Amino acid sequence: MHPILSDFRRFVWYLAAWLMTGVLLSRLLFSAGYAGWGYSLTFTLPVVLVFGFIVTSPYYICRTFPLTKRTFFLVFLIFGSSSIVSGLLLLAISEAWNMLLMSVTEQGKALTISNQLAIIIFITGLAVYLISLLAYDVLITFENLRDAERREAHSLLHAREAELQVLRTQIEPHFLFNSLNSISALTSIDPAAARNMAISLADFFRKTLTLSEHKMITVREELDLCSHFLAVEKIRYGQKLEVGITADRDTELALIPPMSLQPLFENAIKHGIRQLSEGGVISASISRRNDWLHIRVQNPVSDKVATDNGIGLGLTNLRERFHTLYGDRSRVHWSRTDELFFVEISLPTECNQRADTI
């Protein structure tokens, strides 16, 4: 669609610009002594308005012959001939309108279009058309750039969503595999515990399916999800597993991606608690400072395993997910001492004002 003719506001400004141009040209005719002020206005304004519609046609020429498909011969033939035709049209319109005005105007007050004035009118029409061709070329180039940027942004969004989905599908089967192994191990030892664990696992996945429909959930909802996960693991490890979670009240409605905290607890159990015969305590804290949400999880580790132990698939995927969502604004760092493993996460704070949870 034409960028001017299809937009009412632009069209009004376009007409206003040509009317101002007509007033200026009338002043020039009057100052040069070609005609009186009233006749100059009557002659010029209709002519420039009609010509204003003629010089909207370069948009379609530029669209039909884009820059990438032009040759010097094509530019010379199409653009040159169309500009010459435009100049001739302006001259013909001026002559016809002037003859009509002369028929109803007293002798001596009408405008006489001399050869010199005719040449000026023709060159003016030709030049304005050429300038319009150039202006529409620039406009179309900017439109194409904006379209390309929109397409690129759309593609990046789809690519990011696909990447997040891949990472999520890597995390969920990973946890399911571990949980089913736990239930299998308990079946022969404690059938009642295995049944309770299966029920807790079902509750966890029911909650997971509900929250997975959202791109972001509150910290409160994520902690509720983690409580179902920890209930499953508590049945498996019993007194070996203790968990302490501290979350400031102003963090409850902070928004984070689903399955952000659960991989931290899973990693702490798999690479920490499970390796210790006496078990241990997993400590988690969530706080908010300025515009940042800070998450810290620590768990005991055995001093008999390699120093790089404690880094599982969940942590690696979590870092990639946060980087995809937040870019350089996210920070996921882990470290280890002889007895403890730490994970620290910093995310920009986004808050949900609603008080209810899913």
Side-chain angles (χ1 to χ4, degrees):
M1 298 180 67
H2 198 286
I4 294 177
L5 300 181
S6 62
D7 189 301
F8 179 74
R9 181 176 296 181
R10 290 180 182 176
F11 179 68
V12 170
W13 281 105
Y14 183 74
L15 288 181
W18 277 109
L19 286 174
M20 291 297 298
T21 302
V23 172
L24 292 175
L25 292 176
S26 300
R27 182 65 182 176
L28 289 175
L29 288 176
F30 175 70
S31 299
Y34 283 104
W37 174 244
Y39 189 92
S40 297
L41 277 175
T42 306
F43 167 76
T44 305
L45 292 181
V47 171
V48 297
L49 287 177
V50 173
F51 188 67
F53 283 98
I54 293 175
V55 293
T56 59
S57 61
Y59 175 80
Y60 301 104
I61 296 177
C62 294
R63 275 292 187 193
T64 306
F65 302 99
L67 286 169
T68 54
K69 297 182 179 179
R70 292 180 195 169
T71 63
F72 177 79
F73 177 75
L74 184 64
V75 171
F76 180 79
L77 178 64
I78 302 299
F79 286 29
S81 59
S82 60
S83 298
I84 291 172
V85 170
S86 176
L88 292 174
L89 278 174
L90 178 60
L91 180 59
I93 293 169
S94 300
E95 291 277 10
W97 181 241
N98 188 53
M99 289 178 62
L100 181 61
L101 290 178
M102 288 176 64
S103 64
V104 295
T105 304
E106 297 180 12
Q107 191 70 18
K109 293 185 178 181
L111 172 66
T112 300
I113 300 180
S114 61
N115 291 336
Q116 180 184 11
L117 184 57
I119 293 173
I120 293 174
I121 293 173
F122 170 76
I123 293 176
T124 300
L126 185 148
V128 170
Y129 202 86
L130 283 174
I131 293 172
S132 297
L133 285 167
L134 177 61
Y136 280 118
D137 257 345
V138 173
L139 178 62
I140 291 172
T141 300
F142 277 112
E143 285 181 347
N144 291 337
L145 287 175
R146 285 197 300 266
D147 290 341
E149 289 175 354
R150 281 194 291 266
R151 287 194 298 270
E152 182 180 3
H154 190 67
S155 299
L156 288 174
L157 180 61
H158 278 285
R160 188 172 73 172
E161 290 178 350
E163 182 180 355
L164 289 173
Q165 186 61 34
V166 169
L167 293 174
R168 183 177 295 176
T169 56
Q170 289 176 343
I171 292 174
E172 292 174 356
H174 178 67
F175 165 65
L176 178 60
F177 176 78
N178 290 340
S179 299
L180 290 177
N181 274 345
S182 300
I183 294 175
S184 176
L186 281 173
T187 301
S188 58
I189 301 173
D190 190 346
R195 180 179 179 275
N196 291 335
M197 188 173 183
I199 295 173
S200 297
L201 182 63
D203 291 338
F204 170 76
F205 274 100
R206 187 181 299 110
K207 190 74 173 180
T208 300
L209 289 174
T210 302
L211 295 179
S212 64
E213 299 176 357
H214 303 268
K215 291 183 178 180
M216 306 290 282
I217 63 175
T218 64
V219 169
R220 182 194 303 171
E221 291 165 340
E222 179 71 15
L223 288 175
D224 185 47
L225 177 68
C226 290
S227 68
H228 291 285
F229 165 76
L230 292 171
V232 173
E233 295 297 75
K234 185 68 175 174
I235 295 173
R236 179 183 179 189
Y237 290 97
Q239 308 247 343
K240 285 181 61 176
L241 175 62
E242 296 292 336
V243 180
I245 301 175
T246 303
D248 294 346
R249 290 186 60 85
D250 60 353
T251 65
E252 290 185 353
L253 296 181
L255 295 175
I256 57 176
M259 300 288 286
S260 292
L261 300 181
Q262 182 273 334
L264 302 180
F265 291 111
E266 181 180 0
N267 186 82
I269 294 171
K270 179 180 178 181
H271 296 281
I273 302 300
R274 191 173 70 176
Q275 308 296 331
L276 298 169
S277 58
E278 71 279 9
V281 179
I282 300 173
S283 299
S285 64
I286 306 172
S287 60
R288 179 179 176 181
R289 293 192 293 273
N290 298 325
D291 294 327
W292 292 90
L293 185 71
H294 298 278
I295 302 169
R296 177 185 172 90
V297 176
Q298 71 176 50
N299 60 271
V301 291
S302 173
D303 57 359
K304 298 179 180 179
V305 297
T307 56
D308 60 348
N309 190 54
I311 304 173
L313 176 65
L315 287 185
T316 303
N317 281 351
L318 195 63
R319 172 182 276 178
E320 293 180 9
R321 285 178 66 202
F322 287 154
H323 180 74
T324 302
L325 283 169
Y326 300 104
D328 294 335
R329 296 185 301 156
S330 67
R331 177 179 175 271
V332 180
H333 174 73
W334 50 73
S335 59
R336 174 183 166 157
T337 65
D338 291 339
E339 298 181 348
L340 292 173
F341 184 82
F342 303 89
V343 180
E344 296 177 315
I345 298 173
S346 297
L347 301 174
T349 302
E350 299 178 35
C351 283
N352 186 6
Q353 299 303 321
R354 60 189 175 87
D356 59 310
T357 60
I358 295 176

